[in-house]
Amino acid sequence: MTPSKKITFNRRSFLKSSALASGGILIGFNLFNACKPEAKMPVDISQLNYNDFNAFIQISDEGKVTIYSPNPEIGQGVKTSMPMIIAEELDVAWQDVYVVQGKLDTKNYTRQVAGGSQSIRHGWKPLRETGATARQMLINAAAAKWGVDASECKTKNGVITNAKGETLSYGDVVKDAALLEVPEKVTLKDVKDFTIIGKGKNNVDIDKLITGKPLFGMDYKAEGMVYASVLRPPAFGQVLESFDDSAARALPGVIDVITIGEKARTYLSTVKKKSWTVQLSGSDKVVVIGKTTWDTIKGKKAIKAVWKNDSDLESTEDHDKVLLDILDGKKFKTRRKDGNVKKAFANADKVLERVYESPFLPHNTMEPMNFFANVTPEKVHLVGPVQTPEEAANVVSDLLGRNLEDIELEMTRMGGGFGRRLYGDFVYEAAEISSVINKPVKMVSTREDDMTTGVYRPAIKYKIAASIKDGKLTGYHLKEAAVNSNMYGLIPNFFPAAAVENFQVDTANYKSNITTGAWRAPYTNFLASAEQTFFDELAEVMGVDRIKLHMDLLDNVKKNPDPKIEYSPDRLQDVIKLAVEKSNWGNTAEGVYQGFSVYYCHNSHVAEVADIVMENGLPVVKKVTCAVDCGVVVNPLGALNQIKGGVIDGIGHTMYGDFAFKDGIPQSNNFNSYQLIRMGQTPKVDVHFIENDLDPTGLGEPTLPPIGAAVANAIYAATGKRLTKQPYINNLNLDKVLG
C-alpha cells in the first residue's frame, strides 16, 4: 500500500456523532471537496435531516454498511460504482453494503451532476480517501481497545485483526471509533490489492428494476396529487394568442385548465446571467389539470389554440442551405491557428476538401420528461429525474421568489437522459403549475411532446481541407457552421491538433429559435465522424496506410510536445494497436469489409473497427471491435454496458437518425416516423481495455463518437462510395445513399 498525500478537504468533511440512536457511526463526506463549514451532525440518527447531508457512510453494530450515493443515476451506473470505490478503501465485504440514493444538498455539495462522463473521474480520490479515513478510525479504535499500535492491525471484509490473531468486527468498535479524532493522513490501497474495484458487480437496483419496483420519476406518487399536461407552441418562435378550452373542461376527469408563462417571462427578463442549462420559453402555455395522465392528454387534445409568430429570429429558414452558405462565407471565429494554413495550401501539390453534414437529433429518452412539485407556504417539494438537480433548485428558487432553503429536491432514477435532462424546463413547469393551482402535481409529457417541443442536437456542417506536399500532410483547415454553435463549437486541442504543422479550426454560428443543447457526447458526436472519415480518404489520396498515417501523426506530436493538447499521443497509439490486433485488421474472411476510427474525448482514448457485410445490396454492421483506455475500470460489468450502449447508440443515429423542421415545426413526432436502431440491427461489440493504474476517466460517452466514421469507412471499403451526410441509411433514401 502507498501513502496518499495529506487529505485536502477539511475535517468537517467527516461528520461523526458519539451518541447515535442506532449505535452506529455516521461519516459524512464531501464527494467533490466542496464541504461547507456550516454542516452539522444531528446527535440522533433518527433526527437526520437530508438538508444537512447528501453523501455519507453508516456502519451499524452488526457491521453492516449503508452508503448514500449523491449523484443522479441516469443508467450510467454511478449508484453502483461510486459506493464500490468507498467500500474498497473501507475494506468491507460488498455483500454487506447497502446503497441508498441521496437527496440534493445545496449547502454541502457543489457537483451533484450527471453529465460529461465526469462523476467517477472527479470523485475517484475523494471517495477513496473517505473510505480509507473511516477504515483508519475503526483500526485506531480497535488498537486502543487491545492496547497495541494501530500499525500492527489489519482489516479484511469488515474485520480487524492484530498481530496475535485476535479479531474485532467493525460493529464491535464502531461506537468507540465515533469518539476518536479524524486522522489527517491515511494510506490508500495499491491498485493490485483491490478486491472490489475491478470486479464486475451487478447494478444495486437490478432486483427492483426487473421486478418493476418504483424507482423512476414516472413511478412517484403523493397523497392528493393531480396530473398536468402542457400544451406548448407547435412551432419554435411562436407564442400563444388565444385558446378555447370549453371542450376540454367538459371532459370527465379534467379538473381545470390554466395558463403558465408569466413567472418564466419575469425570470428571463430579470436574470442577469442565464445558465446554459436553463431552457425557458417566453410564451404562455395552456395546462390541463386532471385526475389521471390520460385525462390530461385527452383534455389537451380538445384545446383549440391560436398561435402567432413572435420572434426576430428566422426559424423558418432552410437550415441546410443556410449552413452551406455560412461555410462559403467569411464570418468565422478562429479557435486555434498554428503555422500558416493559407501558405501551405498555396504551395501544395494537392488539396483534398470535403463537406460533412449532420441533421438535428432529438434525445429519445425511454422515460418522457416528468416531474412532481408541491409548492406550499412552508416549502417547495420537488421529486423526479433531472441531471442537474442543484441548477434546477436554484432556478425554481428564483422563478418562484422563494429562498433556496425552501427548496427540497429528491432525485429518482432516470429512464434515460443523454443530455436532455440537463435542461430543467420540465421542473420549472411543474413548479409553476403547482404554485398556480396550490396542489401537489405531476407534470407528464407524452412521447410527442418530448420529440416536438424538446432540446435538440444542432444541425452542423463541417468543411475540412488538407494540403499535401511531396507526399506529406502539410496543412489542415476545419470550418464548422452550426445552429446555435455558441453552445457547441469545436474542440481546438483534440487530435489532430499539434499533429500537423499548419493547422486551423474556425467556427460560425446561425442563431435559431430551435432550442439546441448537449446530446450524448456533445461537440464530438459528429465531429469525430467527419474528421475520421476525412482521414480515411486522406490516407488513400496520399497513398499511405490508414493506420500508419495516424501513428506517424501521433509521432509528430511526441517529437514536438504541445502543452495545450488534451489527448495523449501514446495512449491513442496504444488503443490503435490494440484495436488493430483484436479486430484481425486486414485479414478478415471474404465478404467482410472493415473500417477504422480513433478518437479522444471525455478524457478517454478509444479506437474502433467496424466489420460489415453486404446483404441484399445493403451494408449490415456485424461486429465492432472497441479498444478503450479509460484508466482503472471500477466496475467492468457496468463499463461493458456503457461501452456497448455507446457504440450501438452511435450506429443507430449514424445510420438512421434523421430529424428536420419546416417553418419551425418538427417533421417527426414519434417512432413511427423517426427510426431508432432495432434489436436485430445491433452488432456484436467486442471490448478490450488497456490495463493500467491510471486514474479513471469518462466512459458513458467516449465510445459513441468514433463509431460513425468506422461504419462509413467500412461501407466505403464495401461499396467504393464515400458517405459525407448523415444518416447514412434510412427507410426513405437507401437507393440514393448506396447508388
Side-chain angles (χ1 to χ4, degrees):
M1 299 175 76
T2 58
S4 72
K5 295 181 180 179
K6 182 177 179 179
I7 298 175
T8 56
F9 46 87
N10 61 48
R11 292 190 176 209
R12 288 184 181 270
S13 296
F14 289 81
L15 308 170
K16 55 193 180 63
S17 169
S18 60
L20 295 179
S22 67
I25 179 173
L26 191 72
I27 301 174
F29 67 94
N30 178 352
L31 187 61
F32 302 110
N33 299 342
C35 192
K36 309 288 176 60
E38 65 266 22
K40 299 181 183 300
M41 175 65 201
V43 173
D44 191 329
I45 192 172
S46 65
Q47 301 174 3
L48 179 63
N49 186 334
Y50 277 104
N51 289 327
D52 295 331
F53 304 100
N54 64 1
F56 50 88
I57 304 170
Q58 178 186 343
I59 303 175
S60 71
D61 287 349
E62 295 76 26
K64 300 295 183 181
V65 179
T66 297
I67 300 176
Y68 283 72
S69 182
N71 273 35
E73 174 56 58
I74 198 173
Q76 81 281 44
V78 293
K79 191 176 176 182
T80 303
S81 55
M82 296 177 99
M84 285 176 65
I85 297 171
I86 299 170
E88 179 67 71
E89 294 291 351
L90 185 59
D91 207 0
V92 292
W94 182 246
Q95 61 265 28
D96 290 335
V97 173
Y98 300 89
V99 178
V100 177
Q101 177 68 60
K103 295 185 181 181
L104 172 68
D105 183 350
T106 58
K107 290 184 178 179
N108 298 306
Y109 305 106
T110 59
R111 200 190 183 277
Q112 284 184 279
V113 175
S117 300
Q118 297 298 296
S119 294
I120 296 299
R121 178 172 173 261
H122 280 283
W124 176 244
K125 287 186 178 178
L127 289 169
R128 293 183 67 192
E129 289 171 340
T130 294
T133 300
R135 172 180 169 274
Q136 190 60 55
M137 292 171 68
L138 293 161
I139 288 176
N140 292 347
K145 181 171 285 193
W146 283 321
V148 301
D149 192 274
S151 63
E152 300 177 16
C153 302
K154 297 180 179 180
T155 61
K156 184 177 181 181
N157 290 337
V159 176
I160 307 163
T161 305
N162 63 21
K164 297 179 181 179
E166 298 171 315
T167 61
L168 289 169
S169 74
Y170 285 178
D172 294 332
V173 297
V174 66
K175 291 180 180 178
D176 297 326
L179 301 174
L180 302 179
E181 288 292 319
V182 176
E184 294 188 356
K185 292 184 178 181
V186 293
T187 300
L188 299 181
K189 289 184 176 181
D190 282 334
V191 173
K192 63 180 178 60
D193 296 322
F194 286 165
T195 59
I196 296 176
I197 293 174
K199 306 296 188 296
K201 303 297 180 185
N202 286 332
N203 189 305
V204 294
D205 285 335
I206 190 64
D207 290 339
K208 293 180 180 179
L209 287 169
I210 62 178
T211 56
K213 295 294 190 300
L215 288 169
F216 300 91
M218 290 290 284
D219 299 324
Y220 186 82
K221 295 180 180 179
E223 185 176 355
M225 184 182 82
V226 295
Y227 292 85
S229 187
V230 181
L231 179 63
R232 306 173 182 90
F236 288 88
Q238 290 186 330
V239 295
L240 181 67
E241 184 172 29
S242 64
F243 68 97
D244 178 356
D245 62 0
S246 56
R249 288 182 179 277
L251 292 173
V254 171
I255 298 171
D256 199 1
V257 179
I258 66 170
T259 59
I260 60 171
E262 181 180 353
K263 293 183 185 298
R265 284 194 299 277
T266 301
Y267 174 82
L268 290 171
S269 65
T270 58
V271 66
K272 294 181 180 179
K273 184 179 180 181
K274 188 174 73 171
S275 167
W276 70 277
T277 63
V278 175
Q279 296 283 359
L280 283 172
S281 168
S283 172
D284 279 340
K285 303 169 188 175
V286 183
V287 183
V288 178
I289 310 299
K291 296 179 181 179
T292 68
T293 300
W294 182 235
D295 290 329
T296 67
I297 293 173
K298 288 191 298 182
K300 184 171 66 173
K301 290 181 178 179
I303 298 289
K304 297 177 181 178
V306 178
W307 307 89
K308 65 179 181 179
N309 293 330
D310 184 31
S311 176
D312 295 329
L313 300 178
E314 295 294 333
S315 65
T316 60
E317 290 277 13
D318 181 338
H319 291 94
D320 279 341
K321 181 179 183 303
V322 170
L323 295 180
L324 288 172
D325 289 344
I326 290 174
L327 281 181
D328 291 333
K330 297 181 179 180
K331 294 182 179 180
F332 284 88
K333 180 177 180 179
T334 298
R335 303 285 180 171
R336 176 166 175 153
K337 186 176 183 179
D338 300 337
N340 190 327
V341 167
K342 187 176 293 187
K343 183 177 179 180
F345 278 73
N347 295 331
D349 296 328
K350 186 179 297 184
V351 172
L352 176 66
E353 181 178 282
R354 291 287 180 266
V355 172
Y356 299 89
E357 307 174 64
S358 66
F360 291 94
L361 288 181
H363 288 82
N364 304 312
T365 62
M366 184 63 69
E367 178 190 22
M369 299 306 108
N370 68 91
F371 225 80
F372 168 85
N374 187 17
V375 179
T376 66
E378 293 75 31
K379 70 176 181 178
V380 177
H381 185 204
L382 305 170
V383 184
V386 61
Q387 291 178 246
T388 50
E390 183 173 348
E391 173 70 9
N394 286 332
V395 175
V396 169
S397 172
D398 291 339
L399 195 73
L400 302 183
R402 300 290 293 264
N403 293 326
L404 190 57
E405 291 73 21
D406 294 342
I407 314 296
E408 179 186 359
L409 193 152
E410 296 182 55
M411 292 173 284
T412 62
R413 192 178 182 93
M414 286 175 257
F418 314 116
R420 174 62 181 95
R421 286 187 163 98
L422 290 170
Y423 307 96
D425 47 297
F426 46 92
V427 184
Y428 317 142
E429 287 178 344
E432 187 171 358
I433 293 167
S434 180
S435 73
V436 173
I437 67 175
N438 296 312
K439 291 180 181 179
V441 64
K442 168 81 77 68
M443 192 291 295
V444 178
S445 292
T446 63
R447 174 66 58 201
E448 289 82 1
D449 293 333
D450 270 1
M451 195 168 283
T452 60
T453 62
V455 179
Y456 306 89
R457 186 188 79 171
I460 300 178
K461 298 191 189 301
Y462 294 114
K463 178 180 285 187
I464 310 178
S467 58
I468 304 167
K469 179 70 174 178
D470 297 330
K472 295 183 179 180
L473 177 61
T474 58
Y476 186 89
H477 192 188
L478 190 152
K479 291 183 176 181
E480 175 196 81
V483 174
N484 300 329
S485 65
N486 59 312
M487 300 180 65
Y488 267 61
L490 294 165
I491 305 294
N493 297 315
F494 284 11
F495 181 81
V500 185
E501 182 179 0
N502 302 293
F503 177 84
Q504 185 170 330
V505 291
D506 300 322
T507 62
N509 175 37
Y510 170 66
K511 293 184 179 180
S512 171
N513 284 325
I514 296 169
T515 52
T516 60
W519 188 93
R520 190 173 189 174
Y523 310 107
T524 60
N525 49 59
F526 179 59
L527 175 60
S529 290
E531 289 196 304
Q532 283 295 297
T533 303
F534 182 81
F535 269 100
D536 193 79
E537 184 174 2
L538 181 63
E540 185 176 55
V541 171
M542 294 175 63
V544 299
D545 178 78
R546 292 158 172 77
I547 306 301
K548 186 176 187 303
L549 174 61
H550 284 84
M551 299 298 277
D552 289 346
L553 289 172
L554 291 167
D555 281 339
N556 291 344
V557 181
K558 292 194 289 186
K559 294 173 184 175
N560 302 286
D562 184 340
K564 296 192 296 294
I565 65 168
E566 299 182 37
Y567 64 92
S568 162
D570 287 312
R571 296 176 79 172
L572 273 182
Q573 286 183 329
D574 286 344
V575 292
I576 290 172
K577 293 174 184 176
L578 185 60
V580 167
E581 174 193 348
K582 297 299 183 179
S583 67
N584 198 27
W585 174 259
N587 294 290
T588 57
E590 185 178 352
V592 177
Y593 304 91
Q594 293 185 310
F596 166 82
S597 180
V598 63
Y599 208 70
Y600 163 91
C601 67
H602 297 84
N603 311 104
S604 292
H605 303 74
V606 177
E608 294 174 350
V609 173
D611 290 8
I612 73 162
V613 297
M614 300 299 294
E615 296 181 357
N616 299 318
L618 302 177
V620 177
V621 184
K622 286 293 187 179
K623 177 184 174 183
V624 175
T625 303
C626 189
V628 180
D629 183 349
C630 60
V632 172
V633 180
V634 175
N635 183 4
L637 183 59
L640 288 174
N641 290 335
Q642 290 185 76
I643 290 168
K644 294 181 179 182
V647 169
I648 292 169
D649 193 18
I651 292 173
H653 285 92
T654 291
M655 298 286 275
Y656 311 111
D658 196 8
F659 200 81
F661 294 84
K662 183 178 181 181
D663 296 333
I665 302 174
Q667 297 302 288
S668 299
N669 65 6
N670 212 317
F671 296 144
N672 63 322
S673 57
Y674 181 88
Q675 185 178 346
L676 292 172
I677 192 169
R678 309 294 196 253
M679 291 185 68
Q681 296 166 328
T682 60
K684 175 185 177 182
V685 182
D686 192 9
V687 180
H688 303 274
F689 292 103
I690 296 288
E691 296 184 7
N692 56 44
D693 296 342
L694 300 174
D695 290 355
T697 53
L699 201 52
E701 295 166 286
T703 62
L704 185 148
I707 191 60
V711 170
N713 295 335
I715 291 175
Y716 170 72
T719 67
K721 296 184 180 296
R722 292 286 180 188
L723 300 178
T724 59
K725 186 174 183 177
Q726 293 185 354
Y728 297 147
I729 299 175
N730 58 42
N731 292 328
L732 301 176
N733 64 357
L734 294 178
D735 294 336
K736 181 180 178 181
V737 171
L738 294 175

